[in-house]
């Protein structure tokens, strides 16, 4: 009797875990929830090609679903994530930020990279990307790593 209650409770918990991975009508994943890590790296230099140390780099990434029918008024932001970094002595930076679940192929990925450093004009780079525009790397079990390299050039004030 006790083992039946324990088994019932365990199965109920597993059922809730499997349901938590559902993405808009997809079948639930049996053994875990896949997720995506977005890695952005690059260099920060001035217009003369010299590296800039200590530049603040803020990377914002959002998954946007564009409606396919005329009833929807505007695109819908499905998820967003933000990562921050500071360029090192060689002017290099890297951010890693994760989505809660796997990406969807019909999404557009909006990337915004804002770079600030005293003595230089701020720079903002905006890109719209698809999954194919990222480099795919191996990750842990259930993890997809999509990486991109974005080099930033700042102008002196």
């Amino acid at each position: 009797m006790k083992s039946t209650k324990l088994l019932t409770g365990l199965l109920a918990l597993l059922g809730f875990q499997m349901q938590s991975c559902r993405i808009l009508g997809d079948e639930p994943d049996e053994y875990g929830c896949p997720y995506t890590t977005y890695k952005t790296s690059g260099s920060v230099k001035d217009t003369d090609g010299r590296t800039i140390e200590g530049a603040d780099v803020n990377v914002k990434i959002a998954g946007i679903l564009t409606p396919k029918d005329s009833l929807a008024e505007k695109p819908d932001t499905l998820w967003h994530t933000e990562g921050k970094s500071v360029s090192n002595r060689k002017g290099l930076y890297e951010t890693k930020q994760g989505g809660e679940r796997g990406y969807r192929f019909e999404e557009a990925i909006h990337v915004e990279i804002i770079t600030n450093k005293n003595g230089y004009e701020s720079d903002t780079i905006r890109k719209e990307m698809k999954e194919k525009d990222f480099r795919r790397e191996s990750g842990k079990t259930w993890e997809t790593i999509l990486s991109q390299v974005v080099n930033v050039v700042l102008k002196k004030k």
Side-chain angles (χ1 to χ4, degrees), residues 27-39:
E27 289 299 314
D29 295 301
E30 187 172 349
Y31 298 108
C33 296
Y35 63 98
T36 304
T37 298
Y38 293 91
K39 181 173 128 183

Side-chain angles (χ1 to χ4, degrees), residues 67-74:
K68 295 182 176 160
D69 59 26
S70 60
L71 299 175
E73 294 179 19
K74 60 182 181 175

Side-chain angles (χ1 to χ4, degrees), residues 106-125:
E106 63 269 15
E107 293 177 2
I109 309 295
H110 287 220
V111 178
E112 182 178 71
I113 301 167
I114 303 165
T115 309
N116 297 300
K117 172 71 176 167
N118 287 337
Y120 294 88
E121 294 179 18
S122 295
D123 184 49
T124 301
I125 298 171

Side-chain angles (χ1 to χ4, degrees), residues 1-14:
M1 177 86 131
K2 207 174 203 181
S3 63
T4 304
K5 287 182 181 181
L6 180 64
L7 184 59
T8 303
L10 181 62
L11 289 174
L13 285 174
L14 288 174

Side-chain angles (χ1 to χ4, degrees), residues 63-83:
I64 309 295
L65 182 63
T66 304
K68 295 182 176 160
D69 59 26
S70 60
L71 299 175
E73 294 179 19
K74 60 182 181 175
D76 188 23
T77 301
L78 297 176
W79 55 268
H80 70 279
T81 182
E82 188 171 332

Side-chain angles (χ1 to χ4, degrees), residues 9-62:
L10 181 62
L11 289 174
L13 285 174
L14 288 174
F16 285 120
Q17 169 61 30
M18 288 171 51
Q19 294 298 319
S20 67
C21 296
R22 275 204 151 137
I23 304 173
L24 298 175
D26 290 348
E27 289 299 314
D29 295 301
E30 187 172 349
Y31 298 108
C33 296
Y35 63 98
T36 304
T37 298
Y38 293 91
K39 181 173 128 183
T40 304
S41 60
S43 64
V44 181
K45 296 182 178 184
D46 65 14
T47 53
D48 296 326
R50 290 183 288 242
T51 59
I52 299 175
E53 179 182 359
D56 294 319
V57 182
N58 187 9
V59 179
K60 298 177 183 180
I61 301 177

